[in-house]
Amino acid sequence: MARRKKIFEGKAKILYEGPEPGTLVQYFKDDAAAAFPTERRDTIEGKGVLNNRLSEFFMTGLNSIGVPTHFIRRINMREQLIRAVEIIPLEVVVRNFAAGPITTRLGIPEGTPLPRPIVEFYFKDEKLGDPLVTEEHIIAFGWASQQDLDEMVALALRVNDFLSGVMMGVGIRLADFRIEVGRIWEGDFQRLIVADEISPDSCRLWDARGIISADDPPRELAGQTDAYTELAQRLGVLPTNVTHAGKPTLIN
Ligand code: TMP
């Protein structure tokens, strides 16, 4: 059997050449580094299976309301068929509640609702630690055009409305999340679409069933080993034929 061509391997996923031109196969690994970047953990068994399902669930929902994504269809437990895109080298973060670096940089207590969703851009460069950048940097260095930026903000805010609503429906507050955006060409026209994945690895999720106050930070779902199972269970997207008990277990 011919060996398929690996295009790229990251912390959480591998991309292989797809069956048709313009497609790729995205394989979800169990690697823990994406979820726990500062801790010495190797794998969370079952994470890739759940993230494949969760990303399918969110991307399918987005496609169905007219927000374009790279998702075509799930192939098996760990793989999905996606459209090949030219990735824009920016992490697009949307924040609804203060958490993470914004709390220390601007002195806002964790859990504070923000006056409106705040969209931020981080330059994708691991050696530099994915630094926060402004629109001025992005345009000056040619990472994206002003029109791309306007489209990315609009896309990110639509994803935010959709995800916030879906999460709130299952008792989860979406504090913030990150998407990646890709460029595709349709004839002479380019379109920006949501790429990569949407899963607990790229979202900060708080249990909205508890009481939230600045003094008593809400229980985080993401960052816990079983956040993946908890979210999949609440959304009703747990695969039925996973061989382990349904709960990812931490290895190492
Ligand atoms: P932050 O508060 O650490 O900046 O992260 C904001 C959100 O974006 C959080 O839900 C995690 C996600 N994120 C990633 O998944 N990868 C990244 O490289 C960045 C900058 C953020």
Side-chain angles (χ1 to χ4, degrees):
M1 218 161 79
R3 202 191 174 92
R4 62 185 171 177
K5 191 170 158 199
K6 193 192 276 189
I7 306 284
F8 173 80
E9 177 157 4
K11 285 194 289 275
K13 294 179 298 289
I14 305 172
L15 293 178
Y16 295 101
E17 203 169 59
E20 295 147 36
T23 66
L24 294 172
V25 172
Q26 180 164 256
Y27 176 97
F28 286 78
K29 301 198 286 187
D30 281 344
D31 202 295
F36 300 92
T38 55
E39 297 179 31
R40 200 189 66 83
R41 300 184 189 196
D42 289 343
T43 55
I44 302 170
E45 196 190 331
K47 171 174 103 82
V49 173
L50 292 174
N51 278 358
N52 187 23
R53 287 282 182 154
L54 286 166
S55 204
E56 171 192 20
F57 176 80
F58 295 123
M59 298 273 185
T60 308
L62 286 167
N63 284 341
S64 72
I65 61 160
V67 179
T69 80
H70 72 165
F71 181 82
I72 301 172
R73 68 181 160 82
R74 188 165 56 79
I75 300 170
N76 58 39
M77 297 273 280
R78 288 186 181 271
E79 294 176 333
Q80 48 183 244
L81 186 68
I82 57 168
R83 295 187 69 162
V85 299
E86 186 188 310
I87 286 283
I88 294 184
L90 299 167
E91 311 264 3
V92 187
V93 170
V94 182
R95 298 183 189 279
N96 298 305
F97 294 87
I102 199 172
T103 59
T104 42
R105 206 173 49 243
L106 302 181
I108 307 172
E110 183 176 65
T112 308
L114 298 172
R116 60 176 214 182
I118 293 174
V119 181
E120 296 174 341
F121 297 100
Y122 292 81
F123 181 49
K124 266 167 70 74
D125 186 321
E126 260 184 43
K127 283 201 282 311
L128 299 176
D130 295 342
L132 177 67
V133 289
T134 67
E135 296 200 356
E136 285 289 305
H137 296 119
I138 295 167
I139 292 165
F141 295 119
W143 299 323
S145 67
Q146 183 63 58
Q147 191 188 334
D148 291 336
L149 283 171
D150 295 344
E151 275 184 50
M152 277 194 278
V153 169
L155 205 53
L157 290 176
R158 288 192 75 192
V159 174
N160 186 43
D161 284 346
F162 172 79
L163 282 185
S164 296
V166 169
M167 296 293 189
M168 196 36 72
V170 294
I172 293 169
R173 205 169 290 254
L174 179 63
D176 52 44
F177 67 97
R178 174 237 33 194
I179 54 168
E180 289 190 22
V181 175
R183 204 188 296 279
I184 53 166
W185 290 93
E186 285 167 352
D188 287 343
F189 296 95
Q190 70 142 38
R191 228 153 55 107
L192 297 185
I193 67 176
V194 179
D196 193 50
E197 72 177 300
I198 300 178
S199 74
D201 285 349
S202 53
C203 300
R204 189 174 268 121
L205 304 173
W206 291 340
D207 192 348
R209 291 172 184 159
I211 295 163
I212 294 179
S213 80
D215 298 326
D216 180 17
R219 184 167 81 84
E220 290 218 19
L221 292 181
Q224 294 178 3
T225 310
D226 66 353
Y228 307 91
T229 313
E230 171 118 17
L231 182 61
Q233 259 165 356
R234 289 199 200 183
L235 293 169
V237 296
L238 254 191
T240 49
N241 51 348
V242 184
T243 47
H244 60 73
K247 184 171 177 172
T249 39
L250 196 61
I251 296 178
N252 187 14

